[in-house]
Amino acid sequence: MKNIKNILVPIDFSVTSRDAYRYAVKLAESLNAKLTVTHVIQNLIMVSDVMIAPFPLVDRIQIMRDIEQLISEEGSSKIKVDIEILEGNVVDVLTELSKSNKVDCIVIGTTGLSDILSKLFGSISTKLSNRAYCPVILVPRGAKWEPLKKIVYASNYDSVTPNVLKKITDFAINTEADVHFVNVKNYDPVFEIKEKELDWKELFKTVNSNLHYESDTIYGNDSAEELRKYTDENSINMIVFASKHRNFWESLIHHSVTENAAISTTIPMMVVHLDD
């Protein structure tokens, strides 16, 4: 993973997006990165998960003033904050921006998924984490910045590759964080035989010698819940997952620990992609 020097944070003026903005500011300060606040004007607005209606006319000047006021209310920052107002479908616009060399990471707020339709169709943040071409950090509502001293990379066998390990290692060294490499095993003790733990030795040959790390395996019939317990017990500041890019229809039928964790996590979660 290249050094994060340009961070993008989408704002919709909700409490959740304010939380994401605060987190993005502190992350940018810790990395000496530039921060860009963006608001995407939608031509259509979702009335529900299955209905749309025309978006009312929007005053761009007023949006700019509102963003400037938000930045002012949140206090001064040591880093430069730019503002960008765009138009279109939020996920499409942000996905396109993620391809740019001007965006190294997107920080976006997430509220979790509360009802059946939301679980089926997903939220903007989880859709973006599926499609973006740069790392996406999902910030749960109410989450506050903590210096990244410990991060956990939660994996299954398929997502443990030298390329992904290098991305995680680069990020950890850049943020001066220790890494807990955790192999997640969905295991029902009533019906299944416990599998052997993943042998990390071969893969760790590619890990930077300056990295401080631990490795472990989590067993349980609810992987997301077991992972939550692990993060609490080990004072983890961020969860990192590696996931494949998926389109809308693939997302409808895909059920993963990553999505379950995005629903239930109370700490920020970074998604990187196996096929970048």
Side-chain angles (χ1 to χ4, degrees), residues 4 18 42 114 132 217 260:
I4 295 175
R18 276 181 175 264
Q42 296 193 81
S114 57
T217 300
N260 286 340

Side-chain angles (χ1 to χ4, degrees), residues 63-76:
I63 291 175
M64 180 67 74
R65 288 173 180 163
D66 290 342
I67 295 175
E68 289 172 346
Q69 182 178 347
L70 182 151
I71 294 171
S72 175
E73 288 174 352
E74 294 301 331
S76 60

Side-chain angles (χ1 to χ4, degrees), residues 49 113 117-127 248 252:
D49 283 314
L113 308 178
L117 282 175
S118 289
K119 287 178 182 178
L120 178 62
F121 288 99
S123 66
I124 286 174
S125 55
T126 51
K127 286 178 182 175
F248 174 77
L252 280 182

Side-chain angles (χ1 to χ4, degrees), residues 29-76:
E29 288 177 353
S30 72
L31 297 174
N32 193 28
K34 188 181 97 172
L35 182 64
T36 299
V37 176
T38 186
H39 177 81
V40 181
I41 302 170
Q42 296 193 81
N43 297 323
L44 296 173
I45 184 171
M46 297 298 293
V47 177
S48 72
D49 283 314
V50 292
M51 296 174 61
I52 57 176
F55 201 92
L57 292 175
V58 177
D59 185 342
R60 281 176 168 264
I61 295 176
Q62 185 58 50
I63 291 175
M64 180 67 74
R65 288 173 180 163
D66 290 342
I67 295 175
E68 289 172 346
Q69 182 178 347
L70 182 151
I71 294 171
S72 175
E73 288 174 352
E74 294 301 331
S76 60

Side-chain angles (χ1 to χ4, degrees), residues 126 129-130 138 154 241-243 246 254-263 269-271:
T126 51
S129 69
N130 282 335
L138 307 176
F241 283 97
S243 177
R246 293 194 302 277
H254 187 82
H255 183 71
S256 72
V257 175
T258 307
E259 269 118 4
N260 286 340
I263 295 168
M269 184 176 115
M270 174 186 278
V271 180

Side-chain angles (χ1 to χ4, degrees), residues 9-11 15-27 35-37 67 70-77 79 81 107-109 139:
V9 56
I11 291 290
V15 172
T16 304
S17 70
R18 276 181 175 264
D19 289 339
Y21 170 77
R22 295 186 192 108
Y23 190 91
V25 167
K26 293 298 185 182
L27 178 65
L35 182 64
T36 299
V37 176
I67 295 175
L70 182 151
I71 294 171
S72 175
E73 288 174 352
E74 294 301 331
S76 60
S77 173
I79 47 93
V81 180
V107 177
I108 186 168
V139 180

